[in-house]
Amino acid sequence: MEPLRKAIGRGTSENPTNRFETLSVAQDLEHLDESDAEQFAARKHPTEYFADVTQSLITKNDSPDIPFTYSLNPYRGCSHGCSYCYARPYHEYLGFSSGLDFETKIMVKREAPRLFRDFLARKSWKCEVIAMSGVTDCYQTAEREFEVTCGCLEVALDARQPLGIITKNALILRDIDLLAEMARQHLVCANISVTSLDQKLTRAMEPRTSSPAARLNAIEKLTEAGIPVNVMVAPIIPGLNDTEVPAILREVAQRGAIGAGYTILRLPHAVKDIFTQWLEEHLPEHAERVRSRIESCREGRLSDARWGSRMRGEGIIAETIAKTFSMFRDKYNLTQKKIALDTASFRGPSQNGKSQLKMF
């Protein structure tokens, strides 16, 4: 008997062994009959939240192919459960797995607003744009309960600290009044990720993200509020969503986006096996084609960690994607490459430690 292993509402059914650990856990359902095994394997996997007591918040990178130096991530792990997420291996540094653990065991930096305030109060801080988030989504489901991101936005507005927000969740609209005030002072831009317009595909590939329609609506509402929006078609997966590029760019332009960028799928460490297993489970008839086209962009491999090529890929298919994206980006006037934010007005956080912006 081969029991079903699909985890309801999750991007993967697997918990691959942590590459830093010597022990692994194997699921053994041989003691159950077939109906019990199916029920056990398909059970819901609840999300658990843990307090992240780290006292460092702002991360610095020097990668030449990442367009920001500093980033702030209020959460570690992400309940969105995107099967392709490059951030999954970061969970292994916490002793967890890149698989279900990444989606169900979320570390919450409850003290992030205070830590952010303390960071901005440093005399050594020379203001420049901070990305939020560069790894896991700052508007994932946890934000509804913990409001850590909202607290950090209040600190940023109080200090006149510019932020570039990266999300694929329409929950960003909850903070639209606060963001509109930041935008009025040229302190924020929103970067919305749109991977597909196909609700069936996104529901399987990104099971707990906002629907494509909700993301398009978020772009429109943010634009109407005066908040500049850039769109990331990320990742483009050769053989799966690459043909949607023209339609995606047309739709986001109609909603008011002013710029667009993309990355080609990259599958570091355990993500290779998680994503290919997802393909076999959800799209078995397309799995071989998608895999071969990914490999054609990665010199015969599924992953390429080299700077310069890891975001864009190489070869004929990668070049075709680049030309197609460039052509339709220009056609729909999504050509603003960088939204200028104000770093000169930075004044640091209020002395009393409390923002005057609770009205938002």
Side-chain angles (χ1 to χ4, degrees):
M1 177 182 65
E2 182 67 23
L4 297 177
R5 297 182 297 172
K6 186 176 181 180
I8 296 174
R10 297 296 177 181
T12 181
S13 303
E14 305 297 326
N15 242 344
T17 301
N18 185 320
R19 69 187 187 279
F20 302 117
E21 302 290 339
T22 57
L23 298 177
S24 61
V25 177
Q27 179 176 278
D28 182 7
L29 306 181
E30 292 300 322
H31 61 290
L32 301 177
D33 63 30
E34 185 171 357
S35 61
D36 288 339
E38 290 181 357
Q39 183 178 3
F40 178 86
R43 73 193 187 284
K44 293 183 178 179
H45 296 262
T47 304
E48 300 176 89
Y49 298 112
F50 302 89
D52 189 328
V53 296
T54 181
Q55 293 300 298
S56 61
L57 182 67
I58 306 300
T59 302
K60 183 178 181 180
N61 81 83
D62 59 0
S63 172
D65 51 14
I66 294 179
F68 54 82
T69 302
Y70 295 95
S71 62
L72 187 167
N73 292 276
Y75 305 99
R76 291 201 275 188
C78 186
S79 58
H80 281 166
C82 302
S83 57
Y84 54 74
C85 183
Y86 68 85
R88 286 179 176 274
Y90 288 102
H91 231 42
E92 296 182 352
Y93 292 107
L94 304 175
F96 295 132
S97 166
S98 296
L100 275 171
D101 283 354
F102 177 77
E103 306 175 39
T104 61
K105 301 183 188 302
I106 310 301
M107 305 296 293
V108 181
K109 300 178 183 178
R110 296 174 186 254
E111 294 297 311
R114 177 185 64 80
L115 294 171
F116 192 28
R117 183 176 294 279
D118 291 346
F119 177 86
L120 296 179
R122 295 178 181 179
K123 292 182 179 179
S124 60
W125 173 240
K126 305 299 181 183
C127 183
E128 59 180 280
V129 178
I130 295 176
M132 193 168 101
S133 305
V135 183
T136 56
D137 202 312
C138 58
Y139 278 108
Q140 61 178 281
T141 307
E143 177 61 16
R144 292 186 183 275
E145 177 178 351
F146 298 106
E147 299 186 347
V148 179
T149 296
C150 182
C152 290
L153 292 179
E154 291 182 340
V155 172
L157 179 51
D158 179 39
R160 303 296 188 264
Q161 168 61 49
L163 298 175
I165 298 174
I166 307 167
T167 185
K168 59 181 64 174
N169 199 337
L171 179 59
I172 190 174
L173 294 178
R174 182 202 62 189
D175 296 332
I176 195 166
D177 291 341
L178 180 57
L179 293 168
E181 176 59 24
M182 293 182 70
R184 189 182 69 80
Q185 300 182 44
H186 306 288
L187 295 174
V188 73
C189 66
N191 299 274
I192 307 297
S193 174
V194 181
T195 48
S196 174
L197 300 176
D198 183 345
Q199 167 71 358
K200 184 177 180 181
L201 175 60
T202 58
R203 188 54 57 229
M205 187 169 64
E206 308 165 341
R208 300 200 177 200
T209 59
S210 296
S211 68
R215 294 185 222 183
L216 293 175
N217 179 64
I219 294 169
E220 186 170 12
K221 296 300 182 185
L222 291 168
T223 299
E224 290 174 352
I227 301 157
V229 179
N230 186 58
V231 166
M232 290 299 298
V233 186
I236 292 178
I237 304 172
L240 187 58
N241 66 345
D242 51 335
T243 58
E244 289 195 68
V245 166
I248 291 173
L249 294 181
R250 181 187 68 244
E251 291 295 325
V252 302
Q254 290 176 352
R255 272 31 176 227
I258 59 176
Y262 80 95
T263 61
I264 285 184
L265 177 73
R266 56 192 185 96
L267 300 169
H269 303 297
V271 190
K272 291 191 293 295
D273 294 330
I274 290 171
F275 182 74
T276 53
Q277 186 272 336
W278 175 86
L279 276 175
E280 293 291 346
E281 184 176 301
H282 292 273
L283 298 168
E285 69 278 15
H286 302 301
E288 181 56 37
R289 181 189 66 183
V290 173
R291 183 186 177 105
S292 66
R293 293 191 179 187
I294 294 171
E295 291 174 342
S296 74
C297 295
R298 302 296 187 190
E299 294 189 333
R301 304 184 300 272
L302 285 174
S303 186
D304 178 7
R306 294 176 299 164
W307 286 343
S309 63
R310 61 176 183 159
M311 298 298 190
R312 290 291 187 265
E314 298 177 335
I316 295 175
I317 290 178
E319 291 172 3
T320 300
I321 290 172
K323 291 177 181 178
T324 300
F325 192 93
S326 178
M327 179 174 65
F328 285 95
R329 180 193 60 204
D330 293 346
K331 177 179 178 179
Y332 297 118
N333 199 29
L334 293 163
T335 54
Q336 188 158 334
K337 294 184 178 180
K338 189 173 183 179
I339 299 171
L341 299 180
D342 182 10
T343 58
S345 298
F346 177 79
R347 65 184 185 187
S350 300
Q351 291 297 316
N352 61 9
K354 295 182 179 180
S355 171
Q356 305 299 311
L357 306 162
K358 292 298 183 183
M359 68 182 71
F360 296 102

